[in-house]
Structure formats: structure tokens, C-alpha cells
């Protein structure tokens, strides 16, 4: 099928529907464009007709006028799960079960970061109110819309735009007035967002991107001069104990290996088989943004956020130990729930449901007994686009002395920031230790 970009200018104006289930609403008023954006040719569409251009069209711009049949065009039902209908590459569901999992994951990550984002000083500087200019935030792969709506409340003077492949599960009345959402496929490019945003946030979308170098260029082009981009994505290898040493995956030949490790590595292989440029994402984010011609190298950093899977981690400071325990409990639930969401992806890659159910059983057993202490790593990279010379020294709102990225006095102990390209590459090389060996062949 052809993949499409969907604009939300023309939206049915139905009132909110009474429901006890948190369901995606496709009639959200917050999806509408502002009057100025509605006039842009990329968004303009007709109330009288439905029209689109395929991904293969010369313009690479696809538009659709929202009608009452929009849900059927955006979503499909497969084996009782709701899946986006715009990208064959991203196969995780968009339904109640997945939204609950993503909210747990979101909470675990912000516990580790100490807030919604790292680089606290840089973000606040980029979003500092400025007379005659509207500050804007872009959240690519916004999922449940939680991060976008929380940013809209934290920065009420800024406009926030969330973009995802499927409608978000938030009712109109719960969406701040300075926040709106769009449905789009990032792989189609983002020329309509060129130089419009002060902050661009991209979290855990790498598995759904093709040609990562090109997508990164597209995304960085969305920044205004001086704007900051924040990348957060998964490391598809897990690490054991507080030393963060690699632990091999469970296989028939190595039943004592880690089965969460096996599942995550099979997810990587499945995504690669379907066309994801995961290898490009992994190398680009671990190397950082220092060499990107659009970025100011003085502002670039990378980071590693380790979150235990389960409540096994300890720390000499009670409050830090509590953070590790809470984040670890959430991440354990995230991994268990993810097995249900990964079934479609694994089957599409060639594995049988019986294989996946066997892995799920072993994963739950391991995460219940916690005999193997595993942690998941999130890779981060951020930096600011080179500003025009006269604004290079612009300062943001005053900071009260917290470490960047943490609004509280308690620092999460497993968040490491690398200030130089050399340090980032040294850490990337160190993480390769012990990663010899191969998985069984993928099914044909």
C-alpha cells in the first residue's frame, strides 16, 4: 500500500464521546492547524473532497482531508491488536495495552533523567520568552502524547506539536490549548517544518526509521538557529549488574543466558529484516552530533541512562536507591508487557507464535526470580543548532544550581554524560567487550 502524510486541517467537529476506555480519538480539535499553518501548501486541503499523493509522488508531500472514515484508513486490526496503517516498518500496536506500557516506560525514563529532558540549562535557554517570537517545541514519535502535553504545561508560552503514526489517546479537554497533534510518517521527510522549532525531541523511534543519516538531517533541519535537538533511543543489548557488563542471550545452546537479552536482540534482527536502519541509529547517536555541520560542537553531548529491569539495584544513598527501585519496577513491567506487543513483529520476521510464547515464559521467569541482574541502556545525544552570530551568547532563564537535566536535589545515580566526542567513542568501544557469539539463524 502507499504510505501517506495526513493533515488535520479538516476534522469532523463531533463532541466528546462518553467512554470508560482510554481510546484514541480521531476527532480531536487539538489536531487542527493554526490559521497561518493552514495556509501553507503542504497542509492545505479541501473540505469537499478527500485527496492524497503517494509516497512515490514527485513532491513527496501527501495530504488527506479528515473525514469520518479516517480511523479505518489510519489503523488496522491484526490478531486483536490495533496497528498503524501508514508504515509497514513500525509494527508495535496503538491500543490501550500499548499505551499503558508506554506510560510506564515514560515514567521510568523521566525518573532517570530527573525531568522531561536532559540539558536543562540549554533547553530553558532555547525556550526563554523572547519579545516578538513564538517559542515552539516538536515531539517526533509522540506516542501517547504525555511528553508533549507535559511540556506544554511546563512552557505555557510555547507552542507544542506532537507527531506520530497514529492518533493519540487523549481527549480534547485534557490537551493544553498550546498543544496540538499531527499524524505523519517521518520517513517521508519534514520540509514543512524547516527551521520552525526551538526544541526537537525524538524518543525511541529509531526502529521505525529508514536511512538514519537522511532522517537525522531532516530532523535537525527543523531547528531554528540556536534550537536544541534531543535524541533518546534504545540500546538493543542489555547489561548486567552495576558494572554494566554484557551478558549473553539465552539460546538452546546457552539456556543459562538472559532471555530478556534474547528478546531484545531478536527485536533488533526483526527490525533490520523489515528495513529499519537500526545500525545507522546506533552508531550515529553513540558518536554524538559533534561532526554534524548544522550543530554547534560546543553544545553537543552524549549520554547513557541505565535503568535496572526489576528491583534488584541498590545504592548507599537511600533516596537514590528508592529511585532505582521505582524505575526498575516500572521497567520490569515494561519488558513483560512488551512481549505481548512484540508478537506481531516477531511473527512478521518469521518466528512462530509458539517460539515467541516460549521466550515470553522464560523472560517472565527470569524477571520474577531476578537471579540475573540486567539493566537496559538508553542512548542520548543532544546539541544546539549553530546560532546566527549575534545570538550566540543569548542566555536563558536563570537556573538555580541543579545539575543540567535534574529539577530535584536527588540525582539518579546511573545517568552518565560524555562531554567530548573522544569520551563518547571511548565508552562506545568499551561496551563492545564480551559481545562475541551469534544467535540462531532467522527462520527463512
Amino acid at each position: 500500500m502507499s504510505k501517506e502524510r495526513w493533515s488535520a486541517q479538516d476534522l469532523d467537529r463531533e463532541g466528546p464521546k462518553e467512554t470508560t476506555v482510554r481510546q484514541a480519538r480521531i476527532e480531536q480539535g487539538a489536531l487542527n492547524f493554526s490559521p497561518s499553518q493552514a495556509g501553507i501548501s503542504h497542509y492545505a486541503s479541501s473540505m469537499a473532497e478527500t485527496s492524497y499523493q503517494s509516497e512515490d509522488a514527485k513532491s513527496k508531500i501527501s495530504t488527506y482531508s479528515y473525514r469520518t472514515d479516517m480511523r479505518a484508513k489510519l489503523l488496522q486490526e491484526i490478531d486483536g491488536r490495533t496497528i498503524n496503517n501508514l508504515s509497514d516498518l513500525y509494527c508495535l500496536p496503538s491500543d490501550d495495552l500499548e499505551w499503558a506500557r508506554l506510560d510506564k516506560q515514560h515514567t521510568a525514563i523521566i525518573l532517570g533523567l530527573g525531568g522531561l529532558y536532559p540539558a536543562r540549562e540549554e533547553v530553558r535557554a532555547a525556550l526563554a520568552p523572547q519579545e516578538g517570537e513564538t517559542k515552539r517545541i516538536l515531539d517526533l514519535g509522540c506516542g501517547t502524547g504525555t511528553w508533549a502535553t507535559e511540556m506544554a504545561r511546563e512552557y505555557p508560552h510555547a507552542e507544542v506539536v506532537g507527531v506520530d503514526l497514529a492518533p493519540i489517546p487523549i481527549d480534547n479537554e485534557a490537551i493544553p490549548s498550546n498543544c496540538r497533534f499531527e499524524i505523519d510518517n517521518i520517513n517521508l521527510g519534514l520540509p514543512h517544518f524547516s527551521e520552525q522549532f526551538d526544541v526537537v525531541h525524538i524518543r525511541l523511534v529509531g526502529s521505525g526509521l529508514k536511512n538514519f543519516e537522511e532522517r537525522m538531517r531532516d530532523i535537525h533541519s527543523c531547528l531554528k538557529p540556536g534550537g536544541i535537538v534531543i535524541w533518546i533511543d534504545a540500546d538493543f543489548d542489555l547489561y548486567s549488574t552495576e558494572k554494566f557488563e554484557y551478558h549473553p542471550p539465552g539460546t538452546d545452546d546457552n539456556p543459562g543466558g538472559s532471555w530478556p537479552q534474547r528478546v531484545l536482540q531478536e527485536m533488533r534482527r526483526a527490525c533490520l529484516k523489515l528495513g529499519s536502519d537500526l545500525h545507522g541509529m546506533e552508531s550515529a547517536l553513540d558518536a554524538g552530533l559533534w561532526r554534524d555541520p548544522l550543530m554547534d560542537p560546543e553544545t553537543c553531548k552524549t549520554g547513557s541512562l541505565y535503568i535496572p529491569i526489576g528491583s534488584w539495584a541498590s545504592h548507599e544513598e537511600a533516596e537514590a536507591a528508592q529511585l532505582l527501585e521505582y524505575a526498575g519496577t516500572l521497567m520490569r513491567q515494561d519488558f513483560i508487557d512488551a512481549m505481548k506487543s512484540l508478537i506481531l513483529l516477531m511473527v512478521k520476521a518469521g518466528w512462530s507464535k509458539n517460539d515467541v510464547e516460549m521466550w515470553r515464559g522464560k523472560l517472565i521467569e527470569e524477571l520474577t526470580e531476578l537471579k540475573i541482574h540486567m539493566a537496559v541502556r538508553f542512548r542520548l545525544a543532544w546539541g544546539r543548532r549553530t546560532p546566527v552570530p549575534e545570538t550566540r551568547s543569548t542566555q536563558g532563564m536563570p537556573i538555580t544550581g541543579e545539575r543540567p537535566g535534574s529539577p530535584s536535589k536527588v540525582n539518579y545515580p546511573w545517568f552518565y554524560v560524555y562531554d567530548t566526542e573522544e569520551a563518547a567513542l571511548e565508552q562506545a568501544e568499551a561496551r563492545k567487550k564480551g559481545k562475541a557469539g551469534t544467535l540462531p539463524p532467522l527462520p527463512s
Side-chain angles (χ1 to χ4, degrees), residues 8 10-19 23-32 66-68 70-71 74 167-168 170-172 175 183:
D10 303 325
L11 197 66
D12 288 337
R13 298 290 186 171
E14 302 175 10
K17 298 178 181 178
E18 295 184 0
T19 177
Q23 295 181 342
R25 300 299 182 88
I26 59 177
E27 68 275 9
Q28 296 169 31
L31 284 162
N32 279 347
Y66 283 89
R67 319 302 288 176
T68 55
M70 186 178 75
R71 180 178 175 85
L74 294 176
I168 63 163
I170 303 178
D171 288 332
N172 291 349
I175 300 174
I183 299 170

PDB file of all heavy atoms in Angstrom, residues 8 10-19 23-32 66-68 70-71 74 167-168 170-172 175 183:
ATOM      1  N   ALA A   8      -4.361  17.613   9.383  1.00  0.00           N
ATOM      2  CA  ALA A   8      -5.538  17.655  10.251  1.00  0.00           C
ATOM      3  C   ALA A   8      -6.334  18.931  10.102  1.00  0.00           C
ATOM      4  O   ALA A   8      -7.043  19.324  10.998  1.00  0.00           O
ATOM      5  CB  ALA A   8      -5.106  17.468  11.697  1.00  0.00           C
ATOM      6  N   ASP A  10      -8.911  19.624   8.132  1.00  0.00           N
ATOM      7  CA  ASP A  10     -10.347  19.391   8.026  1.00  0.00           C
ATOM      8  C   ASP A  10     -10.713  18.218   8.909  1.00  0.00           C
ATOM      9  O   ASP A  10     -10.397  17.092   8.599  1.00  0.00           O
ATOM     10  CB  ASP A  10     -10.738  19.098   6.574  1.00  0.00           C
ATOM     11  CG  ASP A  10     -10.321  20.234   5.665  1.00  0.00           C
ATOM     12  OD1 ASP A  10     -10.386  21.394   6.119  1.00  0.00           O
ATOM     13  OD2 ASP A  10      -9.930  19.964   4.519  1.00  0.00           O
ATOM     14  N   LEU A  11     -11.354  18.485  10.018  1.00  0.00           N
ATOM     15  CA  LEU A  11     -11.612  17.467  11.020  1.00  0.00           C
ATOM     16  C   LEU A  11     -13.077  17.519  11.411  1.00  0.00           C
ATOM     17  O   LEU A  11     -13.653  18.574  11.576  1.00  0.00           O
ATOM     18  CB  LEU A  11     -10.734  17.760  12.248  1.00  0.00           C
ATOM     19  CG  LEU A  11     -10.525  16.655  13.254  1.00  0.00           C
ATOM     20  CD1 LEU A  11      -9.744  15.516  12.629  1.00  0.00           C
ATOM     21  CD2 LEU A  11      -9.737  17.211  14.436  1.00  0.00           C
ATOM     22  N   ASP A  12     -13.703  16.367  11.535  1.00  0.00           N
ATOM     23  CA  ASP A  12     -15.087  16.352  11.967  1.00  0.00           C
ATOM     24  C   ASP A  12     -15.208  16.966  13.351  1.00  0.00           C
ATOM     25  O   ASP A  12     -14.383  16.745  14.221  1.00  0.00           O
ATOM     26  CB  ASP A  12     -15.604  14.910  12.010  1.00  0.00           C
ATOM     27  CG  ASP A  12     -15.791  14.359  10.610  1.00  0.00           C
ATOM     28  OD1 ASP A  12     -15.956  15.158   9.677  1.00  0.00           O
ATOM     29  OD2 ASP A  12     -15.759  13.128  10.476  1.00  0.00           O
ATOM     30  N   ARG A  13     -16.239  17.758  13.573  1.00  0.00           N
ATOM     31  CA  ARG A  13     -16.383  18.523  14.815  1.00  0.00           C
ATOM     32  C   ARG A  13     -17.378  17.851  15.763  1.00  0.00           C
ATOM     33  O   ARG A  13     -18.264  18.505  16.300  1.00  0.00           O
ATOM     34  CB  ARG A  13     -16.859  19.932  14.495  1.00  0.00           C
ATOM     35  CG  ARG A  13     -15.874  20.694  13.637  1.00  0.00           C
ATOM     36  CD  ARG A  13     -14.629  21.017  14.440  1.00  0.00           C
ATOM     37  NE  ARG A  13     -13.717  21.864  13.683  1.00  0.00           N
ATOM     38  CZ  ARG A  13     -12.644  22.421  14.201  1.00  0.00           C
ATOM     39  NH1 ARG A  13     -12.335  22.209  15.447  1.00  0.00           N
ATOM     40  NH2 ARG A  13     -11.860  23.174  13.452  1.00  0.00           N
ATOM     41  N   GLU A  14     -17.229  16.546  15.978  1.00  0.00           N
ATOM     42  CA  GLU A  14     -18.123  15.879  16.904  1.00  0.00           C
ATOM     43  C   GLU A  14     -17.737  16.211  18.323  1.00  0.00           C
ATOM     44  O   GLU A  14     -16.587  16.480  18.630  1.00  0.00           O
ATOM     45  CB  GLU A  14     -18.037  14.365  16.696  1.00  0.00           C
ATOM     46  CG  GLU A  14     -18.385  13.929  15.270  1.00  0.00           C
ATOM     47  CD  GLU A  14     -18.173  12.446  15.086  1.00  0.00           C
ATOM     48  OE1 GLU A  14     -17.951  11.776  16.102  1.00  0.00           O
ATOM     49  OE2 GLU A  14     -18.228  11.971  13.957  1.00  0.00           O
ATOM     50  N   GLY A  15     -18.695  16.164  19.229  1.00  0.00           N
ATOM     51  CA  GLY A  15     -18.396  16.382  20.637  1.00  0.00           C
ATOM     52  C   GLY A  15     -17.732  15.168  21.238  1.00  0.00           C
ATOM     53  O   GLY A  15     -17.683  14.102  20.633  1.00  0.00           O
ATOM     54  N   PRO A  16     -17.194  15.310  22.447  1.00  0.00           N
ATOM     55  CA  PRO A  16     -16.530  14.191  23.105  1.00  0.00           C
ATOM     56  C   PRO A  16     -17.501  13.051  23.368  1.00  0.00           C
ATOM     57  O   PRO A  16     -18.653  13.260  23.730  1.00  0.00           O
ATOM     58  CB  PRO A  16     -16.008  14.798  24.414  1.00  0.00           C
ATOM     59  CG  PRO A  16     -16.857  16.003  24.645  1.00  0.00           C
ATOM     60  CD  PRO A  16     -17.203  16.525  23.285  1.00  0.00           C
ATOM     61  N   LYS A  17     -17.034  11.823  23.185  1.00  0.00           N
ATOM     62  CA  LYS A  17     -17.872  10.656  23.386  1.00  0.00           C
ATOM     63  C   LYS A  17     -17.638  10.092  24.777  1.00  0.00           C
ATOM     64  O   LYS A  17     -16.506   9.985  25.234  1.00  0.00           O
ATOM     65  CB  LYS A  17     -17.538   9.596  22.336  1.00  0.00           C
ATOM     66  CG  LYS A  17     -17.809  10.075  20.916  1.00  0.00           C
ATOM     67  CD  LYS A  17     -17.412   8.996  19.919  1.00  0.00           C
ATOM     68  CE  LYS A  17     -17.655   9.446  18.489  1.00  0.00           C
ATOM     69  NZ  LYS A  17     -17.249   8.447  17.493  1.00  0.00           N
ATOM     70  N   GLU A  18     -18.730   9.701  25.442  1.00  0.00           N
ATOM     71  CA  GLU A  18     -18.594   9.128  26.765  1.00  0.00           C
ATOM     72  C   GLU A  18     -18.058   7.718  26.640  1.00  0.00           C
ATOM     73  O   GLU A  18     -18.558   6.894  25.892  1.00  0.00           O
ATOM     74  CB  GLU A  18     -19.944   9.119  27.484  1.00  0.00           C
ATOM     75  CG  GLU A  18     -20.476  10.510  27.772  1.00  0.00           C
ATOM     76  CD  GLU A  18     -21.745  10.441  28.571  1.00  0.00           C
ATOM     77  OE1 GLU A  18     -22.178   9.315  28.887  1.00  0.00           O
ATOM     78  OE2 GLU A  18     -22.292  11.502  28.862  1.00  0.00           O
ATOM     79  N   THR A  19     -17.007   7.412  27.399  1.00  0.00           N
ATOM     80  CA  THR A  19     -16.420   6.075  27.348  1.00  0.00           C
ATOM     81  C   THR A  19     -15.623   5.858  28.608  1.00  0.00           C
ATOM     82  O   THR A  19     -15.102   6.793  29.212  1.00  0.00           O
ATOM     83  CB  THR A  19     -15.494   5.910  26.124  1.00  0.00           C
ATOM     84  OG1 THR A  19     -14.905   4.627  26.182  1.00  0.00           O
ATOM     85  CG2 THR A  19     -14.409   6.970  26.084  1.00  0.00           C
ATOM     86  N   GLN A  23      -9.438   5.462  24.689  1.00  0.00           N
ATOM     87  CA  GLN A  23      -9.325   5.139  23.281  1.00  0.00           C
ATOM     88  C   GLN A  23      -8.818   6.326  22.489  1.00  0.00           C
ATOM     89  O   GLN A  23      -9.008   7.472  22.864  1.00  0.00           O
ATOM     90  CB  GLN A  23     -10.693   4.712  22.726  1.00  0.00           C
ATOM     91  CG  GLN A  23     -11.205   3.416  23.355  1.00  0.00           C
ATOM     92  CD  GLN A  23     -12.536   3.017  22.766  1.00  0.00           C
ATOM     93  OE1 GLN A  23     -13.214   3.831  22.155  1.00  0.00           O
ATOM     94  NE2 GLN A  23     -12.919   1.779  22.947  1.00  0.00           N
ATOM     95  N   ALA A  24      -8.158   6.004  21.374  1.00  0.00           N
ATOM     96  CA  ALA A  24      -7.671   7.066  20.500  1.00  0.00           C
ATOM     97  C   ALA A  24      -8.851   7.820  19.921  1.00  0.00           C
ATOM     98  O   ALA A  24      -9.805   7.221  19.447  1.00  0.00           O
ATOM     99  CB  ALA A  24      -6.838   6.478  19.384  1.00  0.00           C
ATOM    100  N   ARG A  25      -8.791   9.144  19.991  1.00  0.00           N
ATOM    101  CA  ARG A  25      -9.856   9.967  19.444  1.00  0.00           C
ATOM    102  C   ARG A  25      -9.362  10.620  18.171  1.00  0.00           C
ATOM    103  O   ARG A  25      -8.363  11.316  18.179  1.00  0.00           O
ATOM    104  CB  ARG A  25     -10.246  11.056  20.449  1.00  0.00           C
ATOM    105  CG  ARG A  25     -10.740  10.501  21.772  1.00  0.00           C
ATOM    106  CD  ARG A  25     -11.986   9.641  21.593  1.00  0.00           C
ATOM    107  NE  ARG A  25     -12.490   9.144  22.858  1.00  0.00           N
ATOM    108  CZ  ARG A  25     -13.333   9.795  23.620  1.00  0.00           C
ATOM    109  NH1 ARG A  25     -13.760  10.982  23.268  1.00  0.00           N
ATOM    110  NH2 ARG A  25     -13.760   9.260  24.741  1.00  0.00           N
ATOM    111  N   ILE A  26     -10.029  10.374  17.066  1.00  0.00           N
ATOM    112  CA  ILE A  26      -9.585  10.949  15.805  1.00  0.00           C
ATOM    113  C   ILE A  26     -10.315  12.254  15.508  1.00  0.00           C
ATOM    114  O   ILE A  26     -10.037  12.902  14.517  1.00  0.00           O
ATOM    115  CB  ILE A  26      -9.797   9.955  14.643  1.00  0.00           C
ATOM    116  CG1 ILE A  26     -11.277   9.578  14.516  1.00  0.00           C
ATOM    117  CG2 ILE A  26      -8.945   8.736  14.849  1.00  0.00           C
ATOM    118  CD1 ILE A  26     -11.572   8.671  13.354  1.00  0.00           C
ATOM    119  N   GLU A  27     -11.229  12.667  16.418  1.00  0.00           N
ATOM    120  CA  GLU A  27     -11.934  13.918  16.183  1.00  0.00           C
ATOM    121  C   GLU A  27     -11.400  15.027  17.077  1.00  0.00           C
ATOM    122  O   GLU A  27     -12.110  15.948  17.429  1.00  0.00           O
ATOM    123  CB  GLU A  27     -13.436  13.737  16.404  1.00  0.00           C
ATOM    124  CG  GLU A  27     -13.853  13.466  17.854  1.00  0.00           C
ATOM    125  CD  GLU A  27     -13.749  11.997  18.203  1.00  0.00           C
ATOM    126  OE1 GLU A  27     -13.213  11.231  17.402  1.00  0.00           O
ATOM    127  OE2 GLU A  27     -14.232  11.634  19.293  1.00  0.00           O
ATOM    128  N   GLN A  28     -10.127  14.938  17.499  1.00  0.00           N
ATOM    129  CA  GLN A  28      -9.575  15.922  18.415  1.00  0.00           C
ATOM    130  C   GLN A  28      -9.424  17.292  17.771  1.00  0.00           C
ATOM    131  O   GLN A  28      -8.762  17.442  16.758  1.00  0.00           O
ATOM    132  CB  GLN A  28      -8.205  15.452  18.909  1.00  0.00           C
ATOM    133  CG  GLN A  28      -8.297  14.171  19.725  1.00  0.00           C
ATOM    134  CD  GLN A  28      -6.934  13.572  19.972  1.00  0.00           C
ATOM    135  OE1 GLN A  28      -5.966  14.292  20.059  1.00  0.00           O
ATOM    136  NE2 GLN A  28      -6.880  12.282  20.071  1.00  0.00           N
ATOM    137  N   GLY A  29      -9.990  18.292  18.431  1.00  0.00           N
ATOM    138  CA  GLY A  29      -9.820  19.644  17.943  1.00  0.00           C
ATOM    139  C   GLY A  29      -8.376  20.100  17.981  1.00  0.00           C
ATOM    140  O   GLY A  29      -7.960  20.934  17.177  1.00  0.00           O
ATOM    141  N   ALA A  30      -7.599  19.557  18.927  1.00  0.00           N
ATOM    142  CA  ALA A  30      -6.202  19.966  19.059  1.00  0.00           C
ATOM    143  C   ALA A  30      -5.355  19.524  17.876  1.00  0.00           C
ATOM    144  O   ALA A  30      -4.210  19.914  17.750  1.00  0.00           O
ATOM    145  CB  ALA A  30      -5.603  19.399  20.344  1.00  0.00           C
ATOM    146  N   LEU A  31      -5.916  18.686  16.999  1.00  0.00           N
ATOM    147  CA  LEU A  31      -5.171  18.275  15.812  1.00  0.00           C
ATOM    148  C   LEU A  31      -5.176  19.356  14.746  1.00  0.00           C
ATOM    149  O   LEU A  31      -4.445  19.264  13.775  1.00  0.00           O
ATOM    150  CB  LEU A  31      -5.775  16.993  15.228  1.00  0.00           C
ATOM    151  CG  LEU A  31      -5.447  15.690  15.982  1.00  0.00           C
ATOM    152  CD1 LEU A  31      -6.416  14.609  15.586  1.00  0.00           C
ATOM    153  CD2 LEU A  31      -4.031  15.249  15.700  1.00  0.00           C
ATOM    154  N   ASN A  32      -6.021  20.372  14.891  1.00  0.00           N
ATOM    155  CA  ASN A  32      -6.146  21.390  13.847  1.00  0.00           C
ATOM    156  C   ASN A  32      -4.905  22.259  13.753  1.00  0.00           C
ATOM    157  O   ASN A  32      -4.229  22.497  14.737  1.00  0.00           O
ATOM    158  CB  ASN A  32      -7.368  22.281  14.117  1.00  0.00           C
ATOM    159  CG  ASN A  32      -8.636  21.617  13.642  1.00  0.00           C
ATOM    160  OD1 ASN A  32      -8.588  20.633  12.912  1.00  0.00           O
ATOM    161  ND2 ASN A  32      -9.764  22.142  14.073  1.00  0.00           N
ATOM    162  N   TYR A  66      -9.438  15.067   6.675  1.00  0.00           N
ATOM    163  CA  TYR A  66     -10.013  14.150   7.628  1.00  0.00           C
ATOM    164  C   TYR A  66     -11.523  14.052   7.437  1.00  0.00           C
ATOM    165  O   TYR A  66     -12.229  15.033   7.385  1.00  0.00           O
ATOM    166  CB  TYR A  66      -9.721  14.623   9.058  1.00  0.00           C
ATOM    167  CG  TYR A  66      -8.324  14.327   9.479  1.00  0.00           C
ATOM    168  CD1 TYR A  66      -7.314  15.244   9.241  1.00  0.00           C
ATOM    169  CD2 TYR A  66      -8.009  13.139  10.099  1.00  0.00           C
ATOM    170  CE1 TYR A  66      -6.022  14.991   9.623  1.00  0.00           C
ATOM    171  CE2 TYR A  66      -6.718  12.868  10.485  1.00  0.00           C
ATOM    172  CZ  TYR A  66      -5.728  13.793  10.250  1.00  0.00           C
ATOM    173  OH  TYR A  66      -4.443  13.526  10.631  1.00  0.00           O
ATOM    174  N   ARG A  67     -12.007  12.844   7.349  1.00  0.00           N
ATOM    175  CA  ARG A  67     -13.437  12.577   7.246  1.00  0.00           C
ATOM    176  C   ARG A  67     -13.799  11.547   8.326  1.00  0.00           C
ATOM    177  O   ARG A  67     -12.946  11.091   9.087  1.00  0.00           O
ATOM    178  CB  ARG A  67     -13.829  12.042   5.857  1.00  0.00           C
ATOM    179  CG  ARG A  67     -13.135  12.737   4.697  1.00  0.00           C
ATOM    180  CD  ARG A  67     -13.371  14.234   4.662  1.00  0.00           C
ATOM    181  NE  ARG A  67     -14.728  14.543   4.268  1.00  0.00           N
ATOM    182  CZ  ARG A  67     -15.220  15.767   4.238  1.00  0.00           C
ATOM    183  NH1 ARG A  67     -14.470  16.792   4.608  1.00  0.00           N
ATOM    184  NH2 ARG A  67     -16.445  15.985   3.864  1.00  0.00           N
ATOM    185  N   THR A  68     -15.037  11.119   8.376  1.00  0.00           N
ATOM    186  CA  THR A  68     -15.464  10.177   9.394  1.00  0.00           C
ATOM    187  C   THR A  68     -14.858   8.799   9.205  1.00  0.00           C
ATOM    188  O   THR A  68     -14.878   7.984  10.116  1.00  0.00           O
ATOM    189  CB  THR A  68     -17.003  10.053   9.381  1.00  0.00           C
ATOM    190  OG1 THR A  68     -17.430   9.707   8.066  1.00  0.00           O
ATOM    191  CG2 THR A  68     -17.643  11.345   9.824  1.00  0.00           C
ATOM    192  N   MET A  70     -11.750   8.232   8.764  1.00  0.00           N
ATOM    193  CA  MET A  70     -10.318   8.366   8.947  1.00  0.00           C
ATOM    194  C   MET A  70      -9.718   7.213   9.742  1.00  0.00           C
ATOM    195  O   MET A  70      -8.636   6.718   9.421  1.00  0.00           O
ATOM    196  CB  MET A  70      -9.985   9.679   9.658  1.00  0.00           C
ATOM    197  CG  MET A  70      -8.503   9.960   9.747  1.00  0.00           C
ATOM    198  SD  MET A  70      -8.162  11.532  10.548  1.00  0.00           S
ATOM    199  CE  MET A  70      -8.475  11.116  12.252  1.00  0.00           C
ATOM    200  N   ARG A  71     -10.379   6.747  10.777  1.00  0.00           N
ATOM    201  CA  ARG A  71      -9.830   5.685  11.606  1.00  0.00           C
ATOM    202  C   ARG A  71      -9.520   4.448  10.779  1.00  0.00           C
ATOM    203  O   ARG A  71      -8.473   3.822  10.948  1.00  0.00           O
ATOM    204  CB  ARG A  71     -10.798   5.330  12.740  1.00  0.00           C
ATOM    205  CG  ARG A  71     -10.266   4.229  13.642  1.00  0.00           C
ATOM    206  CD  ARG A  71     -11.218   3.928  14.782  1.00  0.00           C
ATOM    207  NE  ARG A  71     -10.740   2.790  15.544  1.00  0.00           N
ATOM    208  CZ  ARG A  71      -9.855   2.861  16.524  1.00  0.00           C
ATOM    209  NH1 ARG A  71      -9.355   4.029  16.854  1.00  0.00           N
ATOM    210  NH2 ARG A  71      -9.467   1.782  17.167  1.00  0.00           N
ATOM    211  N   LEU A  74      -6.301   5.009   8.921  1.00  0.00           N
ATOM    212  CA  LEU A  74      -5.103   5.186   9.737  1.00  0.00           C
ATOM    213  C   LEU A  74      -4.712   3.929  10.490  1.00  0.00           C
ATOM    214  O   LEU A  74      -3.533   3.725  10.778  1.00  0.00           O
ATOM    215  CB  LEU A  74      -5.319   6.311  10.752  1.00  0.00           C
ATOM    216  CG  LEU A  74      -5.486   7.725  10.205  1.00  0.00           C
ATOM    217  CD1 LEU A  74      -5.782   8.677  11.350  1.00  0.00           C
ATOM    218  CD2 LEU A  74      -4.252   8.166   9.453  1.00  0.00           C
ATOM    219  N   PRO A 167      -3.349   8.224  15.955  1.00  0.00           N
ATOM    220  CA  PRO A 167      -3.950   9.207  16.856  1.00  0.00           C
ATOM    221  C   PRO A 167      -3.534   8.952  18.299  1.00  0.00           C
ATOM    222  O   PRO A 167      -3.318   7.815  18.712  1.00  0.00           O
ATOM    223  CB  PRO A 167      -5.458   8.986  16.681  1.00  0.00           C
ATOM    224  CG  PRO A 167      -5.602   8.304  15.356  1.00  0.00           C
ATOM    225  CD  PRO A 167      -4.384   7.471  15.190  1.00  0.00           C
ATOM    226  N   ILE A 168      -3.422  10.019  19.083  1.00  0.00           N
ATOM    227  CA  ILE A 168      -3.058   9.883  20.485  1.00  0.00           C
ATOM    228  C   ILE A 168      -4.294   9.563  21.324  1.00  0.00           C
ATOM    229  O   ILE A 168      -5.418   9.892  20.939  1.00  0.00           O
ATOM    230  CB  ILE A 168      -2.383  11.160  21.010  1.00  0.00           C
ATOM    231  CG1 ILE A 168      -3.358  12.335  20.944  1.00  0.00           C
ATOM    232  CG2 ILE A 168      -1.097  11.459  20.264  1.00  0.00           C
ATOM    233  CD1 ILE A 168      -2.944  13.513  21.795  1.00  0.00           C
ATOM    234  N   ILE A 170      -5.731  10.820  24.014  1.00  0.00           N
ATOM    235  CA  ILE A 170      -6.056  11.862  24.981  1.00  0.00           C
ATOM    236  C   ILE A 170      -7.286  12.622  24.486  1.00  0.00           C
ATOM    237  O   ILE A 170      -7.334  13.042  23.321  1.00  0.00           O
ATOM    238  CB  ILE A 170      -4.885  12.840  25.173  1.00  0.00           C
ATOM    239  CG1 ILE A 170      -3.616  12.091  25.612  1.00  0.00           C
ATOM    240  CG2 ILE A 170      -5.245  13.900  26.213  1.00  0.00           C
ATOM    241  CD1 ILE A 170      -2.402  12.988  25.769  1.00  0.00           C
ATOM    242  N   ASP A 171      -8.257  12.817  25.356  1.00  0.00           N
ATOM    243  CA  ASP A 171      -9.457  13.565  24.985  1.00  0.00           C
ATOM    244  C   ASP A 171      -9.139  15.043  24.812  1.00  0.00           C
ATOM    245  O   ASP A 171      -8.207  15.578  25.417  1.00  0.00           O
ATOM    246  CB  ASP A 171     -10.539  13.398  26.051  1.00  0.00           C
ATOM    247  CG  ASP A 171     -11.149  12.008  26.039  1.00  0.00           C
ATOM    248  OD1 ASP A 171     -11.152  11.384  24.964  1.00  0.00           O
ATOM    249  OD2 ASP A 171     -11.601  11.555  27.103  1.00  0.00           O
ATOM    250  N   ASN A 172      -9.936  15.710  24.007  1.00  0.00           N
ATOM    251  CA  ASN A 172      -9.715  17.121  23.703  1.00  0.00           C
ATOM    252  C   ASN A 172      -9.545  17.987  24.947  1.00  0.00           C
ATOM    253  O   ASN A 172      -8.656  18.834  25.027  1.00  0.00           O
ATOM    254  CB  ASN A 172     -10.897  17.667  22.892  1.00  0.00           C
ATOM    255  CG  ASN A 172     -10.961  17.080  21.493  1.00  0.00           C
ATOM    256  OD1 ASN A 172     -10.029  16.427  21.051  1.00  0.00           O
ATOM    257  ND2 ASN A 172     -12.067  17.315  20.822  1.00  0.00           N
ATOM    258  N   ILE A 175      -6.106  18.234  26.642  1.00  0.00           N
ATOM    259  CA  ILE A 175      -4.964  18.737  25.885  1.00  0.00           C
ATOM    260  C   ILE A 175      -4.829  20.243  26.112  1.00  0.00           C
ATOM    261  O   ILE A 175      -5.785  20.992  25.884  1.00  0.00           O
ATOM    262  CB  ILE A 175      -5.132  18.452  24.384  1.00  0.00           C
ATOM    263  CG1 ILE A 175      -5.242  16.944  24.144  1.00  0.00           C
ATOM    264  CG2 ILE A 175      -3.960  19.031  23.586  1.00  0.00           C
ATOM    265  CD1 ILE A 175      -5.555  16.570  22.701  1.00  0.00           C
ATOM    266  N   ILE A 183      -0.648  13.580  12.475  1.00  0.00           N
ATOM    267  CA  ILE A 183      -0.365  12.193  12.105  1.00  0.00           C
ATOM    268  C   ILE A 183       0.486  12.215  10.845  1.00  0.00           C
ATOM    269  O   ILE A 183       0.106  12.790   9.828  1.00  0.00           O
ATOM    270  CB  ILE A 183      -1.679  11.414  11.878  1.00  0.00           C
ATOM    271  CG1 ILE A 183      -2.482  11.402  13.173  1.00  0.00           C
ATOM    272  CG2 ILE A 183      -1.400   9.999  11.400  1.00  0.00           C
ATOM    273  CD1 ILE A 183      -3.884  10.880  13.023  1.00  0.00           C
TER     274      ILE A 183
END
